[in-house]
Short mmCIF file of all heavy atoms in Angstrom, two decimals:
data_model
loop_
_atom_site.label_atom_id
_atom_site.label_comp_id
_atom_site.label_asym_id
_atom_site.label_seq_id
_atom_site.Cartn_x
_atom_site.Cartn_y
_atom_site.Cartn_z
N THR A 56 92.79 79.80 119.06
CA THR A 56 91.66 80.69 118.67
C THR A 56 92.14 81.50 117.44
O THR A 56 93.25 82.09 117.47
CB THR A 56 91.29 81.68 119.82
OG1 THR A 56 90.87 80.87 120.87
CG2 THR A 56 90.21 82.59 119.39
N PHE A 58 91.06 84.61 114.80
CA PHE A 58 90.23 85.72 114.38
C PHE A 58 90.46 85.93 112.86
O PHE A 58 91.59 86.13 112.44
CB PHE A 58 90.58 87.00 115.11
CG PHE A 58 90.27 86.99 116.54
CD1 PHE A 58 91.17 86.43 117.49
CD2 PHE A 58 89.06 87.53 117.02
CE1 PHE A 58 90.90 86.41 118.84
CE2 PHE A 58 88.84 87.48 118.41
CZ PHE A 58 89.69 86.95 119.31
N ARG A 83 88.85 77.21 117.71
CA ARG A 83 87.76 78.10 117.58
C ARG A 83 88.11 79.11 116.54
O ARG A 83 89.18 79.64 116.47
CB ARG A 83 87.42 78.78 118.86
CG ARG A 83 86.39 79.90 118.82
CD ARG A 83 86.24 80.63 120.14
NE ARG A 83 85.70 79.76 121.19
CZ ARG A 83 86.31 79.44 122.27
NH1 ARG A 83 87.56 79.86 122.46
NH2 ARG A 83 85.80 78.62 123.19
N ILE A 85 86.70 82.86 115.15
CA ILE A 85 85.85 83.98 115.45
C ILE A 85 85.83 84.90 114.20
O ILE A 85 86.83 85.54 113.87
CB ILE A 85 86.31 84.79 116.67
CG1 ILE A 85 86.26 83.87 117.89
CG2 ILE A 85 85.45 86.04 116.88
CD1 ILE A 85 86.77 84.56 119.20
N LEU A 101 100.35 84.75 118.05
CA LEU A 101 100.82 84.83 119.43
C LEU A 101 100.86 83.44 120.02
O LEU A 101 99.80 82.72 119.99
CB LEU A 101 99.94 85.72 120.27
CG LEU A 101 100.22 85.69 121.78
CD1 LEU A 101 101.55 86.36 122.09
CD2 LEU A 101 99.11 86.39 122.58
N SER A 103 101.49 81.86 123.63
CA SER A 103 101.60 82.23 125.04
C SER A 103 101.75 81.06 125.92
O SER A 103 100.83 80.24 126.07
CB SER A 103 100.36 83.01 125.43
OG SER A 103 100.33 83.32 126.83
N PHE A 145 100.23 94.47 121.51
CA PHE A 145 99.37 93.49 120.81
C PHE A 145 98.15 93.19 121.70
O PHE A 145 97.03 92.99 121.20
CB PHE A 145 100.15 92.20 120.57
CG PHE A 145 99.30 91.17 119.83
CD1 PHE A 145 98.99 91.37 118.52
CD2 PHE A 145 98.85 90.00 120.47
CE1 PHE A 145 98.25 90.41 117.85
CE2 PHE A 145 98.12 89.08 119.80
CZ PHE A 145 97.81 89.25 118.47
N ARG A 146 98.34 93.14 123.05
CA ARG A 146 97.18 92.93 123.93
C ARG A 146 96.16 94.05 123.73
O ARG A 146 94.97 93.76 123.63
CB ARG A 146 97.68 92.93 125.37
CG ARG A 146 96.56 92.80 126.44
CD ARG A 146 97.13 93.21 127.78
NE ARG A 146 97.67 94.59 127.77
CZ ARG A 146 98.51 95.09 128.66
NH1 ARG A 146 98.88 94.37 129.70
NH2 ARG A 146 98.91 96.33 128.57
N ASP A 147 96.60 95.28 123.62
CA ASP A 147 95.68 96.41 123.41
C ASP A 147 94.99 96.32 122.09
O ASP A 147 93.81 96.60 121.95
CB ASP A 147 96.48 97.77 123.51
CG ASP A 147 97.01 98.00 124.90
OD1 ASP A 147 96.61 97.30 125.86
OD2 ASP A 147 97.84 98.91 125.05
N TYR A 148 95.74 95.88 121.05
CA TYR A 148 95.14 95.78 119.73
C TYR A 148 94.11 94.63 119.72
O TYR A 148 92.99 94.79 119.17
CB TYR A 148 96.21 95.47 118.69
CG TYR A 148 95.64 95.39 117.29
CD1 TYR A 148 95.26 96.55 116.59
CD2 TYR A 148 95.42 94.17 116.64
CE1 TYR A 148 94.74 96.49 115.32
CE2 TYR A 148 94.90 94.09 115.35
CZ TYR A 148 94.57 95.28 114.70
OH TYR A 148 93.99 95.22 113.44
N LEU A 149 94.38 93.55 120.38
CA LEU A 149 93.46 92.46 120.50
C LEU A 149 92.13 92.88 121.13
O LEU A 149 91.05 92.42 120.76
CB LEU A 149 94.09 91.31 121.27
CG LEU A 149 93.45 89.91 121.14
CD1 LEU A 149 93.31 89.48 119.68
CD2 LEU A 149 94.25 88.89 121.92
N GLN A 150 92.24 93.75 122.13
CA GLN A 150 91.03 94.30 122.73
C GLN A 150 90.20 95.10 121.74
O GLN A 150 88.96 95.03 121.82
CB GLN A 150 91.41 95.12 123.98
CG GLN A 150 92.05 94.36 125.09
CD GLN A 150 91.11 93.26 125.64
OE1 GLN A 150 89.92 93.39 125.66
NE2 GLN A 150 91.76 92.17 126.11
N ILE A 153 88.39 92.47 119.63
CA ILE A 153 87.31 91.81 120.32
C ILE A 153 86.09 92.73 120.45
O ILE A 153 84.96 92.31 120.33
CB ILE A 153 87.78 91.42 121.75
CG1 ILE A 153 88.81 90.27 121.59
CG2 ILE A 153 86.62 90.98 122.61
CD1 ILE A 153 89.49 89.95 122.91
N LEU A 160 82.07 88.08 121.75
CA LEU A 160 82.77 88.91 122.73
C LEU A 160 83.24 88.08 123.91
O LEU A 160 84.41 88.14 124.37
CB LEU A 160 81.92 90.04 123.18
CG LEU A 160 82.62 91.08 124.10
CD1 LEU A 160 83.82 91.70 123.45
CD2 LEU A 160 81.60 92.17 124.50
N GLN A 161 82.33 87.22 124.47
CA GLN A 161 82.69 86.51 125.65
C GLN A 161 83.80 85.51 125.45
O GLN A 161 84.75 85.44 126.18
CB GLN A 161 81.43 85.78 126.18
CG GLN A 161 81.67 85.03 127.49
CD GLN A 161 80.36 84.41 128.03
OE1 GLN A 161 79.30 84.59 127.45
NE2 GLN A 161 80.51 83.67 129.11
N ASP A 162 83.71 84.73 124.34
CA ASP A 162 84.74 83.73 124.05
C ASP A 162 86.09 84.39 123.76
O ASP A 162 87.15 83.99 124.26
CB ASP A 162 84.36 82.88 122.82
CG ASP A 162 83.16 81.97 123.14
OD1 ASP A 162 82.94 81.69 124.35
OD2 ASP A 162 82.48 81.58 122.22
N GLY A 163 86.06 85.43 122.95
CA GLY A 163 87.33 86.12 122.57
C GLY A 163 87.96 86.79 123.77
O GLY A 163 89.15 86.71 123.96
N ALA A 164 87.14 87.45 124.60
CA ALA A 164 87.68 88.11 125.77
C ALA A 164 88.28 87.09 126.78
O ALA A 164 89.31 87.37 127.37
CB ALA A 164 86.58 88.94 126.49
N ARG A 165 87.64 85.96 126.91
CA ARG A 165 88.17 84.95 127.84
C ARG A 165 89.51 84.42 127.33
O ARG A 165 90.45 84.26 128.17
CB ARG A 165 87.13 83.82 127.97
CG ARG A 165 87.58 82.74 128.95
CD ARG A 165 86.55 81.72 129.19
NE ARG A 165 86.26 80.96 127.99
CZ ARG A 165 85.10 81.07 127.29
NH1 ARG A 165 84.17 81.92 127.64
NH2 ARG A 165 84.92 80.32 126.18
N GLU A 166 89.60 84.15 126.03
CA GLU A 166 90.86 83.59 125.51
C GLU A 166 92.00 84.65 125.65
O GLU A 166 93.16 84.37 125.99
CB GLU A 166 90.70 83.24 124.05
CG GLU A 166 89.75 82.11 123.80
CD GLU A 166 90.32 80.79 124.24
OE1 GLU A 166 91.54 80.68 124.51
OE2 GLU A 166 89.56 79.78 124.35
N ALA A 167 91.69 85.91 125.33
CA ALA A 167 92.68 86.98 125.46
C ALA A 167 93.14 87.17 126.90
O ALA A 167 94.36 87.36 127.18
CB ALA A 167 92.15 88.32 124.90
N GLU A 168 92.19 87.13 127.82
CA GLU A 168 92.55 87.31 129.21
C GLU A 168 93.47 86.16 129.69
O GLU A 168 94.41 86.40 130.45
CB GLU A 168 91.23 87.29 130.05
CG GLU A 168 91.50 87.52 131.58
CD GLU A 168 90.22 87.54 132.33
OE1 GLU A 168 89.14 87.64 131.77
OE2 GLU A 168 90.29 87.54 133.61
N GLU A 169 93.16 84.95 129.26
CA GLU A 169 93.98 83.80 129.67
C GLU A 169 95.38 83.94 129.07
O GLU A 169 96.40 83.62 129.74
CB GLU A 169 93.39 82.52 129.22
CG GLU A 169 94.14 81.26 129.58
CD GLU A 169 93.49 79.95 129.15
OE1 GLU A 169 92.34 80.03 128.71
OE2 GLU A 169 94.16 78.95 129.23
N ALA A 170 95.51 84.36 127.80
CA ALA A 170 96.82 84.53 127.17
C ALA A 170 97.76 85.47 127.87
O ALA A 170 98.98 85.31 127.84
CB ALA A 170 96.62 84.90 125.72
N PHE A 171 97.18 86.50 128.53
CA PHE A 171 98.01 87.54 129.16
C PHE A 171 97.81 87.51 130.72
O PHE A 171 98.12 88.50 131.35
CB PHE A 171 97.60 88.93 128.66
CG PHE A 171 98.00 89.14 127.23
CD1 PHE A 171 97.10 88.86 126.17
CD2 PHE A 171 99.26 89.61 126.91
CE1 PHE A 171 97.45 89.07 124.84
CE2 PHE A 171 99.63 89.79 125.54
CZ PHE A 171 98.70 89.53 124.53
N ASP A 172 97.35 86.43 131.26
CA ASP A 172 97.06 86.33 132.68
C ASP A 172 98.38 86.25 133.47
O ASP A 172 99.13 85.28 133.38
CB ASP A 172 96.24 85.08 132.95
CG ASP A 172 95.85 84.91 134.44
OD1 ASP A 172 96.10 85.90 135.22
OD2 ASP A 172 95.31 83.84 134.81
N SER A 173 98.67 87.31 134.23
CA SER A 173 99.93 87.37 134.94
C SER A 173 99.99 86.34 136.08
O SER A 173 101.11 86.06 136.62
CB SER A 173 100.13 88.75 135.56
OG SER A 173 99.07 89.11 136.40
N ARG A 176 101.02 83.31 133.73
CA ARG A 176 102.09 83.59 132.76
C ARG A 176 103.14 84.50 133.42
O ARG A 176 102.92 85.70 133.53
CB ARG A 176 101.50 84.35 131.51
CG ARG A 176 100.33 83.63 130.87
CD ARG A 176 100.76 82.34 130.18
NE ARG A 176 99.80 81.88 129.18
CZ ARG A 176 98.81 81.09 129.44
NH1 ARG A 176 98.52 80.68 130.66
NH2 ARG A 176 98.01 80.66 128.42
N TRP A 178 105.88 85.62 132.39
CA TRP A 178 106.46 86.63 131.49
C TRP A 178 105.60 87.91 131.45
O TRP A 178 106.05 88.98 131.12
CB TRP A 178 106.59 86.08 130.06
CG TRP A 178 105.30 85.69 129.41
CD1 TRP A 178 104.73 84.42 129.43
CD2 TRP A 178 104.41 86.54 128.68
NE1 TRP A 178 103.56 84.43 128.77
CE2 TRP A 178 103.33 85.69 128.29
CE3 TRP A 178 104.39 87.84 128.30
CZ2 TRP A 178 102.28 86.17 127.51
CZ3 TRP A 178 103.35 88.35 127.57
CH2 TRP A 178 102.30 87.52 127.19
#
Side-chain angles (χ1 to χ4, degrees):
T56 299
F58 292 85
R83 174 187 292 116
I85 299 178
L101 172 69
S103 173
F145 183 71
R146 176 196 58 196
D147 294 348
Y148 184 75
L149 195 55
Q150 294 300 327
I153 292 169
L160 184 60
Q161 184 176 355
D162 291 337
R165 184 175 63 251
E166 295 289 347
E168 182 179 349
E169 181 180 348
F171 292 93
D172 184 9
S173 60
R176 307 293 200 270
W178 62 268

